[in-house]
Amino acid sequence: MTAEIICVGTELLLGDILNTNARFLSRELAALGIDVLHQQVVGDNAARLEETVRAALGRSDLLVFSGGLGPTADDLTKETVARCFGDEMRFEPRVLEEIRAFFTSTGRTTPADNEKQAMVPTRGGWFENPNGTAPAVWFESGGKRAVLLPGPPSELEPLWKNAVRPFLQKGQQRVLESLVLRLTGIGESHAEELLGHLFKNENPTAAVYAKTSELLIRITAAAPDEETARAMCRDYARNFYRLAGEYIYAEGEAGLEYALVSALREKGLTLATAESCTGGLVSQLVTNVPGASEAFGFGFVTYANEAKQKLLGVSEEALAKHGAVSPQVAAAMAAGAAKAAGADVAVSLTGIAGPGGGTPEKPVGLVYMGAARGADVFVKRLDLGSRDRATIRLAAAKNALDAARRLALGLPIPGAVNARDIPD
């Protein structure tokens, strides 16, 4: 079965609202083994919507809509889709009772305009919406089907999970299951050279997605049941572990900060951070993880040279001789953070995030990372390029997270050198 997602709302076209529904629906349809071939956004205009629906009917088996089911005059999705499916809308007293009950539960009376939402397809059907006033409805004709969902995610998602998904599952011949591998320390081009042949398989399939300082590889298998599909994904993943296991740091949706906190807790270690150019971003990412307090207690933001001296013990001589953006200062920051916090592992970042402040010798995007565990202190130069400030800061922070994770697990940090080998 092929599907098309059509999100309705002028506010989506104008960028006033982030379209999270399309992402949610894409994943849910894929999990049902339904291939999503197209996504569209159309404004609150009946003529343009009808044109979109008729084009979609010509190429897809299932149309899934979000939005346009409200009580106002510009909410025309039901009426337009009904016309395209050759159906008619009818008044359903039970829906009106549910709408009135919803308003009563909030201490309000039912506006007359909301009675419009009690209109449902004559030949199709509807699903009760416990979280709002607009029921989901469905149309069917000539082997084609459309499902219309309200726009607010707080209504759409529970409606989908509790009513629409079971409705669509009936008669499905296969399911899709996915396994996500998360990699860091390898670029997209290198990954293509190393793993390219694995991305050409038909079932399971594998695709690579580049994110800031990491890659995601999604393995997807189609099978008659979930257990078989999961086993196929796991079996195919062994090929990636065999070729690129050193770069795979986790599976699933959780990022580097989760892997770091897990490693620290597993080993019974504590972490401290010392940040200049990232301004506390590493600490923020770590403390986003539930349970981080068991492993993280100190985060130093030492933007000024005086702060580096006062809080981390960086010498005035090192700052004057090498500058704040230097391997010597990065090493001193990491060692100083570990000592001041009494932490087992510490990481530091000092660099030029831009957009200004760069020089030919120290350009925008140059960051030095320090990493300390016990008596060992390591430094790595990060050349993050002339990207925007936010991306440089995030890339630096992710490198620090991975360095701390590697130290916690006793793994080497690729490209890092021991601070003892750096001239004073």
Side-chain angles (χ1 to χ4, degrees), residues 272-310:
T273 61
E275 302 179 66
S276 182
C277 60
T278 47
L281 181 56
V282 179
S283 298
Q284 178 186 345
L285 291 170
V286 171
T287 54
N288 281 340
V289 181
S293 59
E294 296 179 25
F296 179 69
F298 289 77
F300 301 93
V301 178
T302 54
Y303 217 60
N305 285 350
E306 292 81 3
K308 294 177 178 66
Q309 293 176 257
K310 183 175 181 180

Side-chain angles (χ1 to χ4, degrees), residues 101-418:
F102 179 84
F103 278 102
T104 299
S105 69
T106 59
R108 296 176 290 169
T109 59
T110 305
D113 286 348
N114 284 85
E115 295 183 6
K116 170 187 173 183
Q117 295 177 302
M119 301 296 290
V120 300
T122 299
R123 296 200 311 269
W126 55 278
F127 304 103
E128 178 184 352
N129 179 5
N131 301 297
T133 60
V137 300
W138 58 271
F139 297 87
E140 194 165 28
S141 178
K144 306 282 187 174
R145 182 181 283 173
V147 176
L148 283 59
L149 292 152
S154 60
E155 299 179 34
L156 181 146
E157 293 183 15
L159 259 172
W160 175 273
K161 293 175 181 177
N162 298 326
V164 177
R165 183 168 61 190
F167 173 72
L168 294 176
Q169 278 177 322
K170 297 175 183 178
Q172 279 298 104
Q173 299 296 312
R174 63 172 188 162
V175 297
L176 296 183
E177 284 289 322
S178 293
L179 173 63
V180 175
L181 306 179
R182 306 188 74 98
L183 293 75
T184 189
I186 182 173
E188 190 173 9
S189 298
H190 186 193
E192 180 64 32
E193 291 178 3
L194 186 64
L195 307 167
H197 62 289
L198 296 176
F199 300 131
K200 299 175 183 178
N201 204 51
E202 291 187 3
N203 189 26
T205 61
V208 61
Y209 307 93
K211 301 186 72 175
T212 301
S213 294
E214 63 177 315
L215 299 176
L216 305 186
I217 294 176
R218 183 179 296 275
I219 302 169
T220 303
D225 56 81
E226 293 179 359
E227 184 178 355
T228 302
R230 282 195 293 268
M232 290 171 65
C233 289
R234 175 56 58 196
D235 184 62
Y236 202 62
R238 293 190 180 95
N239 296 293
F240 291 92
Y241 276 99
R242 177 172 51 83
L243 295 172
E246 64 182 297
Y247 303 110
I248 300 173
Y249 73 84
E251 296 181 1
E253 299 301 321
L256 272 165
E257 59 269 32
Y258 287 84
L260 167 58
V261 171
S262 176
L264 291 168
R265 294 174 66 181
E266 176 189 336
K267 301 297 183 180
L269 302 174
T270 56
L271 170 72
T273 61
E275 302 179 66
S276 182
C277 60
T278 47
L281 181 56
V282 179
S283 298
Q284 178 186 345
L285 291 170
V286 171
T287 54
N288 281 340
V289 181
S293 59
E294 296 179 25
F296 179 69
F298 289 77
F300 301 93
V301 178
T302 54
Y303 217 60
N305 285 350
E306 292 81 3
K308 294 177 178 66
Q309 293 176 257
K310 183 175 181 180
L311 298 177
L312 304 175
V314 179
S315 71
E316 184 178 0
E317 179 185 358
L319 288 164
K321 183 176 180 180
H322 305 290
V325 181
S326 63
Q328 294 84 356
V329 168
M333 288 172 65
K339 181 178 179 180
D344 302 298
V345 176
V347 287
S348 66
L349 291 166
T350 179
I352 304 168
T359 67
E361 295 76 23
K362 296 182 179 182
V364 170
L366 171 63
V367 177
Y368 286 100
M369 177 186 71
R373 181 171 181 184
D376 291 317
V377 182
F378 303 93
V379 177
K380 181 176 181 178
R381 176 180 171 131
L382 307 174
D383 291 294
L384 303 177
S386 56
R387 295 181 279 184
D388 64 272
R389 181 178 179 85
T391 302
I392 290 171
R393 283 158 51 94
L394 180 59
K398 286 193 172 184
N399 272 275
L401 292 171
D402 187 52
R405 179 189 69 89
R406 287 175 173 275
L407 286 184
L409 296 174
L411 300 174
I413 303 170
V417 298
N418 198 299

